[in-house]
Amino acid sequence: MTITTAGPRPAGESGPDGRGAGGDGAPARDPWFPLACYATGQLVLLGWWLALHPGLMSPDTVSYVRHVTTGPWTATHSVAYDALLRLSLRVTGDLSPVTLLQTTAMSAALAHLAGALRPYGPRRRWLVAAVGCAALLPPLGAFTVTMWKDVPFTICVLLAAGTAARIAARPRAASRKGDGAPDGGTVPESGMAPDGGTVPDGGTVPDGGTAPDGPRPRGRAWDPRLAALGAELLGAGLFRNNGFVVALIAAALLVPLLPVARRWTAAVAAVAVAVPPLLTVTGYPALGIAPPPRVFAYQTVFGDLAVAYAERPGLFDRGQRELLTRIAPIETWLRGATCHTVTRVYFDPDFDGQEAERHVSEVMDLWRDLLVRAPGVILDARLCRAALAWQIGSTAGEPGGELYRFSLRDPVLPPAWEGTPVAAVMRARPLSEGLRTAALTALDAAGAHRLEWLLWRGALWCHLCYATAALARRRTGNRAVAALAAVICAQQLCVLLTNTAQDFRFMVTPIIAGVLLLPTLLREVRALLSPR
């Protein structure tokens, strides 16, 4: 006799919370569950919005607003996010509608991701509670109402993770014979047999029979959910300049995990990856938006060179040292030689950005030469800078390792803005003084050094996502949580390639996903430890 251990159940069988399941093996449709998740997240995030109205701001926020008011408008930040702020100012004369929209979109993303985890058996009330906890945690609640391009970027990545999990859990059947399905049917890769049971790795279904003979679907059929996945990955690239790197890595990981419509998966991912760079090079200039300077895109390279020169100056010949001194004095390179951040050299007052732009091709040649002659130095600098994504413990005791969280004060505005309507809308105007006091108190308590590894750093939550995926795959043979984890892994790997500093905002996605995965992880651990 074969013991069924998979999550999805045949028609009529009760789920873990006593509710029935549909004949396709998924939990019975419950229209109130996604609504409960959304309403919970929206209610909590609305409290953060009222407390921190019109929203937290940073020096980046000032740059966004400058782009769309006094100009010049450049693509150094997200043009899509700049456009949202411009639209808000034009229509309402305020910026708060953007942060209110962020609370709505984040609530929808939380509900979407919770729904993707529902087939794995965690009780609905625990998933709703996880959504509430994610929204209530001070770092995540305050992040959602901050005017950062990273907020819509994070929302897009969360939506992509949920959509990928849904596609992997319940792939659609091939649309025609000859696509690899025997007699026109399919045995989905999610592990479900045609009768609604499950097919473990060995091919046995719960009643002791075996799965139908024949190859599994080769995945040529179009799945409409792929359009949503492509749009979500495209949004990640539009809302953050290096977001297309996350889309590229996610696509490379998802193609083998989504066996249905693999070619279509690759196609929509290719569009999502290609469009943002094309817009930067050709589309935005056609609209009068200047492309970012090349030196801006190569900030990490200057950080690598500073570390390499400080650690092994003998690697640089006379001509290469002269190149460095044209851009900044040697003392500046040595001062900025901390592997945790590039800001100490790139934003040093003695760093000549215009000179760096003129010599950027020579700088890149120097970097590539070092990568060949001393790859260990460059790799070590990158790994150190990516500690935000990989190291659970704090780096605050090391030079440049302090974690940047939020700016709770009003931003410093250009002197010419004083007394203008724009300056007025960029000041804190809480709609509830009581909620603001509570929010600031909660943020202060959450900022304790001993809590940094748990509340502010994404490394622990990444590992939790991978553990949940491994346990769920072992129990059910289903790839859904693995697909979700693949999207999280893509952001973790992107930090290794593109990270410039230890900024909390770069790894918010794994924290949110990890909190929502806790009920699923607890269920998997309980199933692993329970006697059979």
Side-chain angles (χ1 to χ4, degrees), residues 106 109-110 113 134 139-140 143 149-162 236 240 246 388 455-459 461-462 464-465 484-492 495 503-517:
M106 181 65 81
L110 294 174
L113 190 56
L140 305 183
F143 170 78
K149 61 185 183 297
D150 302 88
V151 178
F153 164 81
T154 298
I155 292 169
C156 288
V157 176
L158 287 171
L159 289 170
R240 204 163 85 183
V246 175
L388 175 72
L455 298 180
W456 300 92
R457 301 182 71 87
W461 299 101
C462 284
L464 183 147
C465 290
L484 185 155
V487 179
I488 301 303
C489 182
Q491 186 163 355
Q492 190 180 26
V495 169
D503 279 10
F504 150 76
R505 57 186 168 137
F506 295 154
M507 285 292 288
V508 175
T509 307
I511 302 176
I512 296 176
V515 172
L516 264 64
L517 276 167

Side-chain angles (χ1 to χ4, degrees), residues 356-378:
E357 181 71 18
R358 281 193 291 269
H359 295 284
V360 68
S361 297
E362 299 170 63
V363 169
M364 288 304 301
D365 288 340
L366 169 58
W367 183 83
R368 283 189 286 265
D369 177 62
L370 291 176
L371 187 61
V372 172
R373 291 190 292 118
V377 175
I378 304 299

Side-chain angles (χ1 to χ4, degrees), residues 91-454:
V91 174
T92 69
D94 201 353
L95 296 171
S96 59
V98 174
T99 49
L100 180 61
L101 178 62
Q102 288 174 185
T103 67
T104 302
M106 181 65 81
S107 301
L110 294 174
H112 180 65
L113 190 56
L117 298 172
R118 180 71 185 93
Y120 282 89
R123 295 181 182 272
R124 287 170 298 173
R125 61 175 174 267
W126 289 116
L127 285 173
V128 173
V131 168
C133 286
L136 189 60
L137 285 176
L140 305 183
F143 170 78
T144 302
V145 296
T146 302
M147 289 182 200
W148 265 338
K149 61 185 183 297
D150 302 88
V151 178
F153 164 81
T154 298
I155 292 169
C156 288
V157 176
L158 287 171
L159 289 170
T163 301
R166 290 170 184 264
I167 296 174
R170 297 176 61 194
R172 303 287 176 89
S175 63
R176 59 184 179 275
K177 290 186 179 183
D179 281 355
D183 301 324
T186 63
V187 180
E189 285 287 329
S190 60
M192 290 187 295
D195 64 352
T198 58
V199 183
D201 293 340
T204 304
V205 293
D207 61 2
T210 57
D213 294 331
R216 292 184 175 184
R218 291 162 61 184
R220 298 176 184 171
W222 166 256
D223 187 328
R225 293 169 297 183
L226 289 173
L229 180 63
E232 290 150 2
L233 292 176
L234 175 60
L238 293 177
F239 282 113
R240 204 163 85 183
N241 287 3
N242 58 20
F244 74 94
V245 180
V246 175
L248 176 62
I249 301 173
L253 296 174
L254 286 175
V255 167
L257 287 173
L258 303 182
V260 173
R262 281 179 176 171
R263 294 180 183 177
W264 283 112
T265 302
V268 298
V271 173
V273 170
V275 167
L278 286 175
L279 285 175
T280 301
V281 174
T282 60
Y284 296 149
L287 297 174
I289 302 172
R294 291 183 297 169
V295 66
F296 183 81
Y298 298 138
Q299 294 179 52
T300 55
V301 170
F302 295 101
D304 294 341
L305 293 180
V307 172
Y309 186 83
E311 292 184 358
R312 297 178 63 181
L315 291 173
F316 297 76
D317 60 28
R318 180 177 178 180
Q320 293 168 338
R321 286 194 296 271
E322 290 178 352
L323 173 63
L324 295 182
T325 56
R326 291 193 196 103
I327 299 170
I330 291 297
E331 293 77 13
T332 300
W333 293 100
L334 294 175
R335 234 180 3 249
T338 169
C339 62
H340 288 295
T341 179
V342 304
T343 58
R344 291 195 175 187
V345 60
Y346 184 77
F347 291 105
D348 190 285
D350 293 329
F351 185 90
D352 191 334
Q354 294 182 349
E355 194 70 20
E357 181 71 18
R358 281 193 291 269
H359 295 284
V360 68
S361 297
E362 299 170 63
V363 169
M364 288 304 301
D365 288 340
L366 169 58
W367 183 83
R368 283 189 286 265
D369 177 62
L370 291 176
L371 187 61
V372 172
R373 291 190 292 118
V377 175
I378 304 299
L379 179 60
D380 185 64
R382 295 278 169 148
L383 288 172
C384 174
R385 203 176 302 128
L388 175 72
W390 301 91
Q391 182 174 319
I392 295 176
S394 174
T395 57
E398 304 173 39
E402 299 81 8
L403 189 70
Y404 178 76
R405 296 181 174 90
F406 298 111
S407 297
L408 297 177
R409 300 176 181 175
D410 288 334
V412 177
L413 303 179
W417 289 16
E418 292 299 329
T420 65
V422 171
V425 300
M426 296 187 71
R427 301 300 184 191
R429 291 169 282 129
L431 299 180
S432 170
E433 288 295 342
L435 284 176
R436 180 174 178 82
T437 300
L440 294 180
T441 301
L443 282 169
D444 183 65
H449 178 72
R450 293 176 182 270
L451 295 176
E452 183 178 308
W453 65 277
L454 180 64

